[in-house]
Amino acid sequence: VQLQASGGGLVQAGGSLRLSCAASGGTLSAYNMAWFRQAPGKEREFVAAIRGTGGSTAYADSVKGRFTISRECAKNTVYLQMNNLKPEDTAVYYCAGDSPPTAPYSALANGRLYDVWGQGTQVTVSS
């Protein structure tokens, strides 16, 4: 499968953005899907994940209540709705996929689980 992320941009603090990750060459239900981000000078960090089987979700504490991960199987696309954005959310956001989707819930935040990565989309939040 190939992943194409889009939807990043420049937004003021308190604003919203929706990122999209379109998958081609595979079916989303066969993958656990996740969003990670990496800010300049910092390590990559987990943001959110959605399981291929059942669709349960997981979030980093820093984004709980503000971000929502979802998927639209008919479009083979995963979304990250980001509300109440903060300057510290500024980063390059990457979508990633793990197949087969058999990993336990506790492993979803581990970047090493994922074997397919998109190219990244820049999100910049101004104060």
Side-chain angles (χ1 to χ4, degrees):
V1 69
Q2 291 185 326
L3 303 177
Q4 179 74 35
S6 62
L10 173 64
V11 64
Q12 288 187 331
S16 298
L17 282 174
R18 188 178 78 160
L19 305 184
S20 299
C21 177
S24 59
T27 303
L28 276 185
S29 60
Y31 290 80
N32 293 322
M33 296 295 295
W35 289 95
F36 288 79
R37 66 187 181 186
Q38 188 166 21
K42 294 187 177 181
E43 293 186 353
R44 183 182 63 197
E45 65 173 355
F46 169 74
V47 176
I50 185 166
R51 298 196 71 175
T53 303
S56 57
T57 57
Y59 296 93
D61 288 343
S62 59
V63 306
K64 278 181 183 177
R66 300 189 298 123
F67 290 12
T68 302
I69 188 170
S70 63
R71 63 184 180 183
E72 189 171 357
C73 292
K75 294 187 176 181
N76 230 23
T77 300
V78 173
Y79 303 100
L80 185 68
Q81 177 67 43
M82 306 185 295
N83 297 328
N84 190 22
L85 282 160
K86 304 176 180 180
E88 51 264 42
D89 294 318
T90 295
V92 177
Y93 283 70
Y94 299 90
C95 59
D98 158 57
S99 183
T102 57
Y105 183 86
S106 59
L108 292 177
N110 187 342
R112 296 180 181 180
L113 177 69
Y114 299 88
D115 44 21
V116 182
W117 292 82
Q119 87 287 4
T121 184
Q122 175 71 48
V123 172
T124 303
V125 184
S126 63
S127 57

